[in-house]
Amino acid sequence: MKKLKQTRRDFIKTVVIAGVSVYFSPLVSANSREQEYLYKPKKPWASGGKAKFRVDAIQKVTGEKVFARDFRAKDFDLWPDKQWHGYIVCATVADRTFESIDLSFLEKQPTKVILAEDLAKNDVKLPPFHGEEMLLTKGSVAHFIGHPVAILLFDEFDDFNAAKSRLDFNPDVLKFGDKTELYQRNPYASWRVVRIAKERNDSSDVFSPFQDGLFFPAYQLRQPKWPRERNIGGTLGEKGMYYADTIQQDLLKTNIHVVEKQFQTQIVEPMMLEPEAANIWFDQATQTVHGTVTCQDPSDFTEMAVHLLKQTKQAKDIKSIVLYSGFVGGGFGAKDHSVFPYYALVASLFSDGNPIRIANDRYQQFQSGLKRHPFKINNRLGINKDTLKIEALTSVCDVDGGGRENFSASVASAGMSAMQGVFYIPKSDLQATAYHSRNVTSGSMRGYGSTQCMPVVDLMIGQAAAELNVDPFELRRRNLLHTDDLNTQGAEIAGELRYREILDKAEQHPIWKNRAANKHTFETNNPNKTFGVGYSLLSKNYGTGNVGPNAAVNLLESGEIVLEIEYMEMGSGAQTSQGLLTDKFFGQAADEVQVAVTETWKALQLFETDNPYTISQEKQDKMSKDPLWTPVKLMASSASDSATFQTEATKGACAVVYQYGILPAARTLWKLDKNSDLSAATWQDGQFTQAGYPNLPLALLASTAHHLGLVTGCVAHTVNRWAWTEAEFTIEGHTQVHSLDALAVRYGNGANSAKTQLMDNLGYHLIKRNWVKYPSTQYNNAMVTYYAPCDCLVELSVDKYSGKVDILRTHSVLDAGPVISKPIVEGQIQGGLAMGIGHVLHEYLPPFEDGPGNGRWNLNRYHVPLARDLSVWDMTLEILPSNDSSERPKGIAEVVMLPVISAVQDAIFNAIGERFDHTPITAEQIKSRLSV
């Protein structure tokens, strides 16, 4: 077996966390790990700024090893060939104390059994983010159904496989004592947003979170307890409660029509292509942990892993972590901060120096994987009968977070703040509380609270239109948000709002315009069915409020372009779209696009000190004087971040190389003065052109830039907190403001010794900023300001006898801003349609003991939508062309599914005259409402 030798190439890929060096490497095919990056595009994958196919397409369709699940110990050069296998035993009883585990029925006993007492003896604890009781302690009650109790280790696959067949679905493995009370704890979080607007065109409010701040409750009997006092001159909480009461009083006025809606959403399984898996080897001789895991954020995993390991007896002297990152086989957020990889990590401490693999099958993924949160929503919407304008909205959301907190607090906040959708609401009192329950843990699955909350208000508008006998399009039109309006947090919504344009298009579309005639024709030809058309227009926020994207671009002497991005490819097409961005600057797409890169950013030497969500303006101003400080160093692969935020860093890095490498090289070749204007120069068919001068191919420009020692590479970082950072840099004697806060450059191979000495061991020269302007910390109270709108028209039929819904036609219009890759955006719309229909009509996991935590759920019981459920040949779409050349791309991965949910519900009402207060709406439930 080869020994781990750290070469210069290794060092470049190393970061240090708490004194532990962390090395990141891509997964590659067997026997070629050191030769070539696996996901290098097959040429030519793009031309003219358009992709011919996705960067990862060839590897995936030809079955190459690209997912972490594909790899075994023997596939890694440095690992032992011996592979151990792990099995996690979970409790399916949450109202009795755990007493013991009985494995006597197994023909071959596990090589080792890890229990809670073994973890305690060795000081093994979960990272605080994931809570307590990694394994259930004897004498304790499970925190949730599916709570892990033991990890069984087998040194032979045959023994593991035989044992698994007898362990699966076996209720006698774990022994429980007498019944006891369920595990209880205070809510994970509770939020309240109260806003009272002034005049609509006023940029300030009477009261709002953005202007005045957020206030929080105490807890009593596991429930939020808001301030009792109502005092306009009192504390922030007392003042907020005073205004909350005025909103309740306004809803009692005689000229206000009130629509009240109680709504319940279900637990949803993400159903990613690749169930979670991990393969980890603790090399005790070198105190190095090697591993490959299925996660959306490798850097976050390694940071938590380091702190977990260093507190244990076995790995307190850990020196290195080597993590191999593969593609994430679908995630939808559910592989973001999953607890799963830490069980394999801990198992590796007990596997006697052998690699240990733990891989969920689909039953286990249903049992242990993160889910979409179920919401209970109680809304009251007040509309002025005379003006048809929304006067006020109140909402109380109870969010079931399940057994571990994960992102439940954030999901509750995001759902609440997304409630208003596309409507201007001058007065609002919105509450959301995330509770613990014995259900499986819910996390950051696609939609992130908006799936649950946002369709409800649009449905209420439709109901109000029917009750007030008003055209639903006119009622929407009267209440649409306008550009520069404030949201329910009191913050100005960023960018141009094109809601009316989208609404007008839908009203004139044949699906809506011809609905009466189409209904008559269809029902005449299908007397056993009823026909309905539904519509919804929603606008989803994207981003997390504090992101620090990184990117690096290097122009090789041959003219090849190597792009490194922080974002993880999880099916969204980020790798492909980011690779296309270089075309504007270099006349061609990137030759190599490395994803989930974490090590290159060390060249920037950045550090952070405070939680960016809670840092004071005073502290931020003080720290900003240090050119190496940043509020946020990294960005997770989540929240539709790639299109907007990763793009900013990618373009920023490319622009530096273009300005200080391509342009001076072109001036040299054209024999122009160094200050000559090249603003009219453009790329055409891969050639750099300027009227009156010979065309220059990229390869010639690149070799010239290298020969002259110009800038040929750049690492860039920026920060966004609902606004972009600006900073001034001096590069090659030229001072300019960039929308970046940190950058480092690489000089060409012909650089003189003075320049060469400026470059560090990573090969970059850090350019310290002259000054920086970060977005105000007040934006933390905005919660969200970036939105992307999408609508959906749905034409469907309902069988009068069975209640079965058939989707006949759909049409969507999306405002995605400037589109990087149209086919990828179209694919997102199509995928969003599938997920939306699944949520509203099919996908359902019951709560508690009958739910997925019992380990008996799989696709034989769980209905994900199939082609026959979607009418795939009759879905049409339109992507609005961008109106503004300075506009940035929008994050659209989540919004494309949301209006589908409410449009289908609206269409069902138009078909059968019944409104439902829950999802999914099943054929059996519809049948119970029908009278033939």
Side-chain angles (χ1 to χ4, degrees):
M1 184 182 70
K2 300 175 184 177
K3 295 297 182 183
L4 179 63
K5 180 180 179 181
Q6 192 178 55
T7 63
R8 181 180 180 277
R9 181 170 178 268
D10 296 331
F11 180 76
I12 290 174
K13 293 177 173 290
T14 304
V15 297
V16 177
I17 302 172
V20 176
S21 65
V22 179
Y23 174 88
F24 296 87
S25 175
L27 281 172
V28 298
S29 297
N31 302 318
S32 65
R33 180 161 53 84
E34 294 302 323
Q35 282 76 50
E36 185 177 77
Y37 184 72
L38 174 63
Y39 316 129
K40 191 171 183 177
K42 304 295 183 183
K43 294 181 181 180
W45 72 275
S47 64
K50 295 182 180 180
K52 296 180 179 179
F53 48 82
R54 287 172 60 131
V55 170
D56 54 355
I58 303 299
Q59 288 93 340
K60 288 182 176 176
V61 300
T62 56
E64 290 191 36
K65 288 188 174 186
V66 296
F67 302 120
R69 190 178 189 85
D70 296 335
F71 288 78
R72 304 296 186 271
K74 64 182 181 181
D75 294 316
F76 297 96
D77 293 342
L78 301 176
W79 293 30
D81 288 339
K82 182 71 172 179
Q83 176 76 74
W84 283 28
H85 299 269
Y87 184 99
I88 301 174
V89 180
C90 298
T92 57
V93 175
D95 60 353
R96 290 188 289 160
T97 56
F98 164 58
E99 298 298 337
S100 64
I101 181 169
D102 179 11
L103 302 174
S104 60
F105 59 90
L106 295 179
E107 293 182 9
K108 183 71 179 292
Q109 290 295 300
T111 310
K112 286 194 176 180
V113 177
I114 307 171
L115 297 171
E117 51 260 41
D118 300 304
L119 303 186
K121 289 176 185 176
N122 290 279
D123 299 326
V124 179
K125 296 180 182 179
L126 275 174
F129 175 85
H130 292 290
E132 301 175 342
E133 292 270 0
M134 184 175 195
L135 297 176
L136 184 60
T137 306
K138 289 181 181 178
S140 298
V141 65
H143 293 194
F144 53 97
I145 301 165
H147 194 150
V149 175
I151 308 174
L152 313 184
L153 308 185
F154 297 85
D155 62 4
E156 295 290 345
F157 176 77
D158 288 345
D159 295 337
F160 159 77
N161 200 38
K164 185 179 185 303
S165 67
R166 303 192 68 180
L167 289 163
D168 286 347
F169 322 120
N170 189 333
D172 299 323
V173 176
L174 300 178
K175 307 300 180 184
F176 294 91
D178 296 333
K179 281 205 169 188
T180 186
E181 291 184 358
L182 298 173
Y183 174 82
Q184 295 187 24
R185 55 155 289 169
N186 279 338
Y188 296 130
S190 192
W191 305 88
R192 191 161 193 164
V193 167
V194 178
R195 178 184 178 229
I196 303 287
K198 292 182 181 177
E199 295 297 321
R200 185 165 183 173
N201 58 358
D202 198 321
S203 61
S204 63
D205 286 322
V206 174
F207 184 85
S208 68
F210 185 73
Q211 176 180 286
D212 299 278
L214 291 163
F215 62 98
F216 298 94
Y219 294 106
Q220 187 175 48
L221 300 177
R222 316 295 184 196
Q223 296 291 322
K225 184 176 176 61
W226 298 99
R228 289 184 178 181
E229 293 295 324
R230 274 72 169 156
N231 186 348
I232 196 173
T235 66
L236 177 62
E238 292 169 349
K239 192 175 181 180
M241 294 305 296
Y242 170 85
Y243 286 115
D245 279 359
T246 66
I247 294 172
Q248 296 289 349
Q249 293 163 14
D250 287 344
L251 290 174
L252 300 176
K253 293 178 179 178
T254 56
N255 68 328
I256 301 299
H257 178 81
V258 175
V259 178
E260 188 160 354
K261 189 91 172 176
Q262 290 81 39
F263 208 83
Q264 170 76 57
T265 69
Q266 75 277 34
I267 303 171
V268 174
E269 164 65 30
M271 261 309 300
M272 70 278 287
L273 172 67
E274 177 196 29
E276 292 181 272
N279 203 341
I280 296 180
W281 169 44
F282 177 33
D283 181 358
Q284 297 171 344
T286 62
Q287 287 293 299
T288 299
V289 169
H290 303 253
T292 176
V293 299
T294 53
C295 68
Q296 289 175 214
D297 192 350
S299 59
D300 177 82
F301 166 74
T302 51
E303 183 166 355
M304 289 193 188
V306 165
H307 295 293
L308 183 156
L309 292 167
K310 284 183 72 68
Q311 70 182 359
T312 66
K313 290 182 179 178
Q314 299 103 314
K316 65 180 184 298
D317 298 322
I318 184 76
K319 295 178 181 178
S320 304
I321 292 182
V322 182
L323 188 71
Y324 302 96
S325 298
F327 278 121
V328 177
F332 312 119
K335 290 179 181 173
D336 183 10
H337 287 71
S338 166
V339 72
F340 176 86
Y342 300 99
Y343 284 90
L345 179 66
V346 167
S348 73
L349 303 180
F350 295 86
S351 59
D352 295 344
N354 293 283
I356 179 73
R357 179 176 185 266
I358 301 180
N360 281 344
D361 63 19
R362 191 62 71 181
Y363 286 102
Q364 292 165 322
Q365 189 62 38
F366 268 92
Q367 182 178 47
S368 64
L370 295 170
K371 304 292 184 280
R372 181 178 291 149
H373 290 78
F375 273 54
K376 290 182 180 178
I377 302 169
N378 191 332
N379 280 5
R380 298 182 75 213
L381 180 69
I383 298 175
N384 189 299
K385 297 176 184 177
D386 302 317
T387 65
L388 298 181
K389 295 289 186 70
I390 295 173
E391 293 282 348
L393 171 69
T394 67
S395 177
V396 178
C397 296
D398 291 345
V399 182
D400 186 339
R404 298 194 187 278
E405 179 176 352
N406 202 268
F407 279 119
S408 293
S410 178
V411 169
S413 169
M416 172 191 66
S417 61
M419 185 77 71
Q420 74 183 106
V422 297
F423 302 116
Y424 179 73
I425 302 174
K427 298 179 182 180
S428 55
D429 177 14
L430 312 178
Q431 301 177 53
T433 301
Y435 292 93
H436 169 274
S437 82
R438 66 187 188 278
N439 276 324
V440 290
T441 302
S442 290
S444 57
M445 185 181 165
R446 175 174 283 178
Y448 210 83
S450 299
T451 304
Q452 299 89 327
C453 290
M454 194 175 283
V456 177
V457 171
D458 197 55
L459 289 168
M460 295 174 78
I461 288 289
Q463 183 174 335
E467 292 171 353
L468 293 169
N469 196 27
V470 178
D471 179 82
F473 274 78
E474 179 59 25
L475 187 57
R476 287 187 177 93
R477 196 172 281 113
R478 295 269 186 114
N479 289 285
L480 289 177
L481 283 157
H482 302 155
T483 300
D484 299 329
D485 271 342
L486 304 185
N487 62 18
T488 49
Q489 295 81 254
E492 184 176 321
I493 297 173
E496 178 189 10
L497 302 187
R498 302 173 69 180
Y499 301 160
R500 178 158 187 157
E501 181 181 354
I502 295 173
L503 191 71
D504 291 346
K505 283 179 174 290
E507 192 173 27
Q508 295 304 313
H509 193 275
I511 289 180
W512 183 260
K513 198 170 183 180
N514 302 331
R515 65 192 184 282
N518 290 341
K519 181 180 178 68
H520 175 76
T521 301
F522 181 88
E523 292 182 352
T524 300
N525 295 330
N526 300 273
N528 62 322
K529 296 182 178 181
T530 60
F531 177 98
V533 171
Y535 179 72
S536 183
L537 167 60
L538 299 177
S539 185
K540 172 76 174 73
N541 60 290
Y542 57 92
T544 62
N546 281 286
V547 293
N550 293 279
V553 64
N554 278 280
L555 182 62
L556 306 186
E557 196 165 2
S558 63
E560 286 189 290
I561 303 165
V562 178
L563 176 65
E564 297 172 272
I565 62 172
E566 186 175 357
Y567 214 74
M568 168 69 80
E569 176 58 77
M570 51 185 171
S572 61
Q575 184 184 29
T576 302
S577 62
Q578 294 296 305
L580 292 172
L581 293 174
T582 65
D583 184 86
K584 174 183 175 181
F585 302 93
F586 308 116
Q588 68 175 60
D591 295 280
E592 186 172 324
V593 187
Q594 298 189 17
V595 296
V597 174
T598 56
E599 64 280 352
T600 303
W601 327 131
K602 187 180 178 183
L604 300 174
Q605 301 178 33
L606 290 173
F607 73 98
E608 59 186 33
T609 55
D610 297 67
N611 184 327
Y613 293 96
T614 58
I615 189 173
S616 68
Q617 186 64 49
E618 181 182 11
K619 181 68 177 292
Q620 178 170 288
D621 292 342
K622 176 183 176 182
M623 296 307 302
S624 296
K625 296 175 182 177
D626 188 325
L628 301 181
W629 181 84
T630 185
V632 195
K633 281 179 64 175
L634 300 171
M635 179 182 74
S637 302
S638 59
S640 303
D641 277 347
S642 65
T644 302
F645 306 102
Q646 181 62 66
T647 292
E648 191 75 9
T650 301
K651 284 187 172 181
C654 290
V656 170
V657 177
Y658 174 79
Q659 186 171 355
Y660 300 102
I662 295 294
L663 292 184
R667 291 188 181 101
T668 298
L669 291 167
W670 285 333
K671 299 181 180 180
L672 299 173
D673 180 82
K674 68 176 182 179
N675 295 318
S676 57
D677 181 19
L678 291 185
S679 59
T682 60
W683 290 98
Q684 294 181 11
D685 299 324
Q687 305 272 320
F688 197 56
T689 66
Q690 169 111 322
Y693 297 92
N695 294 348
L696 303 175
L698 178 62
L700 177 59
L701 287 164
S703 63
T704 302
H706 271 274
H707 175 72
L708 297 175
L710 301 173
V711 172
T712 58
C714 179
V715 184
H717 176 274
T718 188
V719 170
N720 181 284
R721 185 191 287 130
W722 307 122
W724 287 103
T725 294
E726 289 186 338
E728 182 185 84
F729 298 87
T730 301
I731 308 172
E732 299 281 73
H734 182 258
T735 299
Q736 186 178 4
V737 175
H738 296 260
S739 60
L740 303 170
D741 73 332
L743 64 86
V745 298
R746 174 173 284 159
Y747 301 110
N749 296 334
N752 58 36
S753 60
K755 281 188 172 181
T756 302
Q757 290 174 8
L758 292 172
M759 294 189 288
D760 60 14
N761 290 332
L762 299 174
Y764 289 98
H765 171 207
L766 174 65
I767 308 291
K768 294 184 179 179
R769 65 199 183 216
N770 301 326
W771 56 260
V772 67
K773 182 181 179 182
Y774 288 115
S776 167
T777 59
Q778 186 183 8
Y779 278 103
N780 282 324
N781 293 331
M783 294 186 176
V784 292
T785 67
Y786 296 152
Y787 298 84
C790 184
D791 73 350
C792 187
L793 276 164
V794 172
E795 189 178 80
L796 57 74
S797 68
V798 178
D799 190 292
K800 295 179 182 179
Y801 298 95
S802 69
K804 183 178 182 297
V805 173
D806 286 321
I807 305 297
L808 304 176
R809 284 197 295 172
T810 63
H811 181 75
S812 296
V813 177
L814 171 68
D815 175 13
V819 173
I820 302 171
S821 176
K822 186 177 179 182
I824 288 178
V825 174
E826 292 174 340
Q828 290 286 346
I829 295 174
Q830 294 158 357
L833 180 71
M835 293 190 76
I837 288 175
H839 182 93
V840 70
L841 293 179
H842 302 293
E843 298 182 59
Y844 175 73
L845 289 168
F848 310 131
E849 283 73 16
D850 292 330
N854 66 20
R856 295 179 177 273
W857 279 83
N858 204 331
L859 291 174
N860 61 323
R861 303 174 67 187
Y862 188 82
H863 183 169
V864 294
L866 306 175
R868 64 172 179 263
D869 300 313
L870 303 177
S871 187
V872 294
W873 305 117
D874 293 294
M875 57 173 74
T876 56
L877 56 89
E878 178 181 353
I879 302 170
L880 293 182
S882 179
N883 287 336
D884 183 358
S885 60
S886 65
E887 186 181 17
R888 292 175 169 90
K890 298 180 179 181
I892 54 92
E894 295 182 295
V895 70
V896 289
M897 69 171 288
L898 303 183
V900 177
I901 297 168
S902 32
V904 168
Q905 292 177 80
D906 188 40
I908 290 173
F909 170 75
N910 281 289
I912 67 172
E914 293 285 340
R915 300 186 190 277
F916 292 83
D917 59 3
H918 60 269
T919 54
I921 305 170
T922 65
E924 293 76 14
Q925 292 159 352
I926 293 174
K927 182 179 179 180
S928 69
R929 300 271 194 101
L930 292 172
S931 56
V932 180

